[in-house]
Amino acid sequence: MIRMVDVISKKRDRNELTKEEIEFIVRGTAEGTIPDYQLSAFLMAAYLNGLSHNETLILTQSMAYFGDVVDLSSFGKATVDKHSTGGVGDKTTLVVAPAAAACGAVVAKMSGRALGHTGGTLDKLESIPGFNCGLSNEEFIKQVMERKIAVISQTASLAPADKRLYALRDVTATVNSLPLIAASIMSKKLAAGAKNIVLDVKCGVGAFMESRESALELAELMVRFGNGAGRNTAAFITDMNEPLGYAIGNSLEVEEAVRVLLGEKTPRFYELCVSLSGAMVSLAMNIPFDEACLLTARAIENKP
């Protein structure tokens, strides 16, 4: 019989957890049988002592598949998701998602809320009065089918263990843990069902990963997990030693994103949007990256 107190003490003492112990944590987190105080203790132990590559892989897969997994197989190989690890002034999804969809990619994205010092994509979108990101799985697929693009919040049934751990990390000072970040991001990406995944890993004083080395380590880990799960996965490393664009704050960032979609070439932010949406189109449409960037640049600039 596995007890949570024994799992906590094992990780506290820097021992590696078994597959059964990690699956016990994920199940208890999702079903609510493990209280917050014990999960918080586990998160701190994992933050301080780390998780091995095998522990992180098992945690990722367990969180991804304990719950619903969106079936996007009817859209073929053109489905693509994008994730940014966040940074000051980062609102790229608001530009790259419609740009990629305009070029033929099928954008099916699950987004997150604020974590640490940055606002999440959902926080930015919900600064628009009446905007609804809380779609069911059926509504999500219906919108993807009709519009070729949908950005939704994490539902209660998609990676439910991650949803609870995500909130606890934000209030227990355990956000900046590379294994926990990788497992959280990739569990959601796998559960969301897209065949292709583009990752934007931020580094610098305005991001969670302050050094390029740690950002590269995180990117390589997530790409390995994504490709290993049968998803075509690519990653960028983005400098966040200064904000992206000029606007900071949810509603202000939405306004700036709209201006870029209307043709304003905000330095650094515009170039990054072209590259990220180009990578999304390149993977989804199976065309060279440079060619895809030309297409997305024209889409962002509203040129035929």
Side-chain angles (χ1 to χ4, degrees), residues 158-300:
L158 285 170
D162 170 71
K163 186 172 185 178
R164 190 172 168 205
L165 291 178
Y166 188 94
L168 283 174
R169 284 167 55 214
D170 197 32
V171 295
T172 56
T174 55
V175 170
N176 295 346
S177 163
L178 189 149
L180 293 176
I181 292 172
S184 176
I185 292 171
M186 293 311 296
S187 65
K188 288 193 286 284
K189 298 300 103 177
L190 296 180
K195 177 64 177 175
N196 306 284
I197 302 169
V198 173
L199 303 166
D200 179 20
V201 182
K202 301 290 199 294
C203 66
V205 295
F208 296 125
M209 300 290 107
E210 293 194 5
S211 72
R212 182 174 178 82
E213 291 73 22
S214 61
L216 184 60
E217 185 180 357
L218 176 60
E220 290 176 342
L221 185 62
M222 293 193 295
V223 168
R224 198 181 312 144
F225 287 172
N227 288 336
R231 315 296 173 89
N232 299 317
T233 310
F236 289 76
I237 306 295
T238 302
D239 180 11
M240 283 301 298
N241 283 310
E242 59 182 272
L244 275 174
Y246 300 126
I248 299 174
N250 294 336
S251 60
L252 297 176
E253 291 178 41
V254 171
E255 291 177 359
E256 184 170 42
V258 170
R259 292 197 301 271
V260 171
L261 286 170
L262 292 174
E264 180 180 297
K265 294 185 178 181
T266 305
R268 291 188 69 237
F269 178 54
Y270 167 81
E271 288 83 2
L272 177 60
C273 288
V274 170
S275 295
L276 290 176
S277 54
M280 294 167 71
V281 171
S282 177
L283 291 179
M285 309 298 290
N286 194 27
I287 61 177
F289 174 66
D290 290 345
E291 180 182 336
C293 286
L294 290 175
L295 292 175
T296 55
R298 297 183 73 84
I300 293 171

Side-chain angles (χ1 to χ4, degrees), residues 21 144 267 292:
E21 287 168 333
V144 173

